[in-house]
Amino acid sequence: DLVEFLPALAPREYSVSSCPHAHGGSIHFAFSVVEFETGGGRTRRGVATNWLAGIADAVASGESCEVPIFPKPSKDFHHPEDAVRPVVMIGPGTGVSPFRGFVHHRKYLLSLQGGEGAVGESWLFFGCRERTKDAIYLDEFDAFVESGVLTTLDCAFSREQEEKVYVQDKMGESGTRLSNL
């Protein structure tokens, strides 16, 4: 009887990290699997992220799985209509996901318009704890810098040195250049 009175789990929202022009009929998104130990020594796991991790494992082993999605469009968060305008993107952790889609969109625009001058300067500030553990899409972003699709990639790996460094620290270091965009 008690279970009947408990509220249903709230929906989990994830940002799409793909671009329809670059990824065809597939939708990409990123998430961090939540798992931690309580003060009493019990292991707690996130419901949604662990379920999604199980789905990802099943797909990797060749199974076909369906994941129900309920898109929720954003009116205010989108790539600028004028692609020549400079773009500054700030993505800590999995918060970098939508900006992967933005950068893929910029690559698509460059391919349509023949390259130079088709898009303005783009700057991505990306932060996470450690490059080797949770720096999602880093190789892809590095390749975008090399190809000129992404102008600047500025990373903050907060746990790789004695003093913690965060995205806002990197932005402060680049304040003059940012204000000139």
Side-chain angles (χ1 to χ4, degrees):
D1 288 340
L2 175 63
V3 172
E4 289 181 31
F5 292 101
L6 295 175
L9 283 175
R12 302 305 194 259
E13 295 181 0
Y14 300 93
S15 295
V16 172
S17 68
S18 53
C19 166
H21 305 293
H23 301 105
S26 65
I27 297 174
H28 303 186
F29 64 97
F31 59 92
S32 293
V33 176
V34 176
E35 183 174 272
F36 61 94
E37 196 169 305
T38 66
R42 292 183 58 196
T43 300
R44 306 294 270 176
R45 291 179 175 85
V47 176
T49 58
N50 277 277
W51 179 76
L52 287 169
I55 295 288
D57 290 343
V59 168
S61 69
E63 288 184 49
S64 177
C65 300
E66 287 188 27
V67 176
I69 62 168
F70 305 92
K72 183 179 171 185
S74 173
K75 295 176 188 170
D76 300 320
F77 187 73
H78 50 81
H79 195 277
E81 288 182 34
D82 180 2
V84 179
R85 294 185 66 185
V87 175
V88 176
M89 302 167 280
I90 306 162
T94 57
V96 77
S97 291
F99 301 123
R100 176 183 179 254
F102 279 28
V103 177
H104 275 281
H105 182 70
R106 294 174 81 74
K107 179 180 179 183
Y108 167 74
L109 292 174
L110 280 167
S111 73
L112 284 181
Q113 299 175 4
E116 295 294 318
V119 297
E121 187 172 352
S122 58
W123 195 332
L124 175 60
F125 288 93
F126 173 53
C128 63
R129 291 177 182 221
E130 295 178 46
R131 176 187 333 257
T132 57
K133 289 186 179 177
D134 51 4
I136 60 172
Y137 308 128
L138 189 57
D139 291 341
E140 199 171 347
F141 291 136
D142 284 337
F144 280 131
V145 171
E146 270 191 45
S147 68
V149 173
L150 184 60
T151 311
T152 306
L153 174 62
D154 214 338
C155 298
F157 303 110
S158 63
R159 305 301 194 273
E160 288 190 355
Q161 59 283 315
E162 195 169 309
E163 186 175 323
K164 294 178 182 173
V165 176
Y166 297 104
V167 168
Q168 59 267 33
D169 299 318
K170 293 290 187 176
M171 292 177 72
E173 292 170 8
S174 302
T176 303
R177 188 169 158 218
L178 279 170
S179 66
N180 291 327
L181 287 179

